[in-house]
Amino acid sequence: MGRKLLLDKAHIEGIRYYDTYRSNGGYAAAEKALKSMGPDAVVEEVKKSGLRGRGGAGFPTGLKWSFIAKPEGVPRYLVCNADESEPGTFKDRYLMEFIPHLLIEGLLISSFALGANSAYIYIRGEYAWIPDILEQAIAEAKNKGWLGKNILGTGFDLEIYVQRGAGAYICGEETALLESLEGKRGNPRIKPPFPAVKGLWGCPTVVNNVETIAAVVPIINIGGDEYIKFGIGKSTGTKLISACGNINKPGVYEIEMNISVEEFIYSDEYCGGIKGGKRLKACIPGGSSVPVLPANLLLKTAKGETRMMTYESLNDGGFATGSMLGSGGFIVMDEDQCIVRNTLTFARFYHHESCGQCSPCREGTGWMKKVLHNIEYGKGKMSDIDLLWDIQRKIEGNTICPLGDAAAWPVAAAIRHFRDEFEWHVKHPDEALTRNFGLAHY
Ligand code: NAD
Ligand code: SF4
C-alpha cells in the first residue's frame, strides 16, 4: 500500500470538524511552525522538501515564496487558488470537502512564513456547497485561537476569507483570479510583473493551489528530508490524482511519486484496470490542457523506459512523445473512444472559456472548433487537418496567458498521434458519426 500524507486521515469519521482533526494530530504542524521555527525556517523547510506547485505548472513552491517582495509598510497576501476547473480535475474539491482543516492549517503556516496577515480562498463557483464547509472550519479555527489576533501569543495575526467565483474557467489563471478578487472582470494580466511582486491590489502576493498549501502541513510535521523520500528526483512527496474515464475505479487517489503509470491504471489499489476488460487506447494524464498520449507511449517512454507518475517521466521526450503531470486530472480512454470527438469537446470548451483579450486565442479557438466540427460531422477535407495544425501553431506561445497553449496542445497531440483517425473521418463521412472506434483502425 502506498503511504499517504494528505489523505491518511480522510477515512476518520468527523475529520471535517475541528475536535476530530485536532485529536488526530491536527494543528501540530502549525504549533511547531509558529512556536519553534519562525518564518524563515518554514520557507527553508519547504525549499528543502522540493515541493512543486500542485495546480499544474509544478513551479518550486519554496522558490516562489522566496520571490515575494517585502517593501516596508506594504501588506503581503496569500491567495489560495481553489478555482479548480480543469476538465478531469477534482482533487482539490475532495480535500476541501473532507479535510477542510488541513487547508486552514496549511494557510496558517504558509501565511506565517510569508508574513501575510490576510489570506483568501478563491473557490470555483460550481463548488456551491463547499464554501459553507470552509466557513465553518474557519469559524472553528478562529474560535480555538488559530486565527485572529496574536495567534498562540506569537504576535502574528491572520484572517482567512472565502470568495466564490462565478463559473469562469479563466479565473483559475492566477492574474485573472486576482482581477476577479478585486471585483473586476477576470482578464489575465501580462506577466511579468509576477504576483509575487505586484499581485492583489498591487501588493506582493503568493498564489498557491489548494493541494500545495495542504502539503505544507506534512512537510512541517515530518521535515523536508523525509518528504523527499516519498518521490523520485525532482518529483518529491505525494500527489493527488483525480482519475476518470473508462476505468473500473474512478476517484481521487494519493500516490507516492514513485509508481509507474501502468501500476496506477491496472492495480486494484488505484484505477483497477480498464472498464469492461477493454483495451487502453489513450490517456490525458494531467487535465485537458496537456497532450494526449497513445497507449504505447503512455506505459513506456519513447526510449523504452517505464513511464512513471512523475513530472519528469511524463514529460520525457517533450511534447513529441511525452505529456505532463499537470494538475493530476488523469483521463483514461478505452479502445472505443474517438479522438476527434474528444478533441472537439475540448476545443468547444476552450473557445467558450477564452476571455477574448488576444486575437490568436479568441479567433483561433473558434476556428479550431469549427474545423474539428466539420471533420467530426463528416464535412471535413484532408487539407483541414493541416489547417488545424497551422492554427494551433499560431496560437501556441502567442497569447497573454496559458489558456491559448492549453487550447493548442491537445489539438497538436491528437493530430501528432492519431492523424490516421482524422483521415479516416474525412474518408468515411457517412460512417463518421456511427462508428465504434476500435483499435482495428490502427
Ligand atoms: P506558470 O508556469 O506561468 O507559473 C507558475 C507559477 O510560478 C505562477 O504562480 C507564477 O506566478 C510563478 N512564477 C513563475 N516564474 C516566476 C518568477 N520569475 N518570479 C515569480 N514567480 C514566478 O504557470 P501558471 O499559469 O501558473 O499555470 C499553468 C498551469 O496551470 C498549466 O500547466 C495547467 O496544467 C494548470 N491548470 C490547472 C487548472 C486547475 O484546475 N488546477 C486549470 C487550468 C490550468
Ligand atoms: Fe484571454 Fe485567451 Fe488571451 Fe488568455 S490567451 S488572455 S484566455 S484571450
Side-chain angles (χ1 to χ4, degrees), residues 53-60 63-65 67-68 81-87 89-92 124 127 169-170 172-175 191-197 205-209 286-290 324-329 349-350 401-403 406 409:
R54 301 300 198 226
F59 193 84
L63 191 63
K64 193 196 273 192
W65 286 10
F67 285 155
I68 193 156
N81 189 343
D83 193 68
E84 181 178 56
S85 313
E86 179 85 331
T89 312
F90 44 93
K91 63 183 181 71
D92 296 338
R124 175 180 181 180
Y127 287 174
Y169 172 74
I170 194 58
E173 195 285 327
E174 60 176 2
T175 59
K191 293 191 281 189
F194 289 95
V197 174
T205 303
V206 161
V207 185
N208 280 147
N209 167 260
S288 64
S289 303
V290 310
M324 281 171 80
L325 181 61
S327 57
F349 172 79
Y350 288 113
C401 89
L403 190 143
W409 292 340

Side-chain angles (χ1 to χ4, degrees), residues 170 187-188 353-359 361-362 399-404:
I170 194 58
N187 278 354
E353 299 296 341
S354 167
C355 82
Q357 269 194 111
C358 23
S359 17
C361 172
R362 183 188 60 241
T399 57
I400 293 173
C401 89
L403 190 143

Side-chain angles (χ1 to χ4, degrees), residues 93-301:
R93 182 184 80 188
Y94 190 91
L95 259 182
M96 292 186 287
E97 187 169 355
F98 295 105
I99 328 170
H101 280 285
L102 190 66
L103 177 60
I104 308 303
E105 185 177 3
L107 281 164
L108 169 56
I109 301 168
S110 307
S111 301
F112 175 69
L114 293 164
N117 301 117
S118 301
Y120 294 85
I121 304 172
Y122 185 98
I123 184 162
R124 175 180 181 180
E126 290 90 337
Y127 287 174
W129 67 102
I130 297 180
D132 289 345
I133 296 172
L134 294 172
E135 300 275 15
Q136 184 182 353
I138 291 167
E140 284 182 323
K142 192 161 183 178
N143 191 29
K144 298 289 180 182
W146 296 102
L147 296 174
K149 297 265 179 226
N150 192 23
I151 300 165
L152 302 185
T154 57
F156 177 65
D157 307 335
L158 178 66
E159 296 294 343
I160 300 178
Y161 305 96
V162 179
Q163 175 63 49
R164 295 164 198 245
Y169 172 74
I170 194 58
C171 287
E173 195 285 327
E174 60 176 2
T175 59
L177 187 158
L178 296 176
E179 289 284 301
S180 173
L181 207 47
E182 291 178 7
K184 293 180 262 173
R185 183 189 157 102
N187 278 354
R189 302 172 183 168
I190 291 175
K191 293 191 281 189
F194 289 95
V197 174
K198 198 173 173 204
L200 190 60
W201 295 299
C203 300
T205 303
V206 161
V207 185
N208 280 147
N209 167 260
V210 171
E211 184 189 346
T212 312
I213 293 170
V216 171
V217 176
I219 288 169
I220 296 304
N221 271 328
I222 65 173
D225 288 334
E226 278 304 305
Y227 188 79
I228 284 172
K229 295 180 190 162
F230 284 73
I232 309 171
K234 289 184 178 165
S235 296
T236 62
T238 62
K239 172 88 190 85
L240 296 184
I241 306 288
S242 51
C244 61
N246 308 118
I247 47 175
N248 284 316
K249 292 168 58 193
V252 176
Y253 297 102
E254 182 172 7
I255 59 159
E256 292 185 45
M257 280 201 274
N258 58 17
I259 65 166
S260 68
V261 172
E262 187 162 6
E263 181 183 349
F264 184 67
I265 295 178
Y266 290 102
S267 94
D268 280 339
E269 190 179 346
Y270 304 112
C271 302
I274 308 299
K275 204 164 184 181
K278 295 203 166 156
R279 280 181 293 177
L280 171 68
K281 175 173 178 176
C283 174
I284 301 169
S288 64
S289 303
V290 310
V292 61
L293 282 178
N296 61 326
L297 284 173
L298 180 67
L299 305 183
K300 296 249 182 259
T301 69

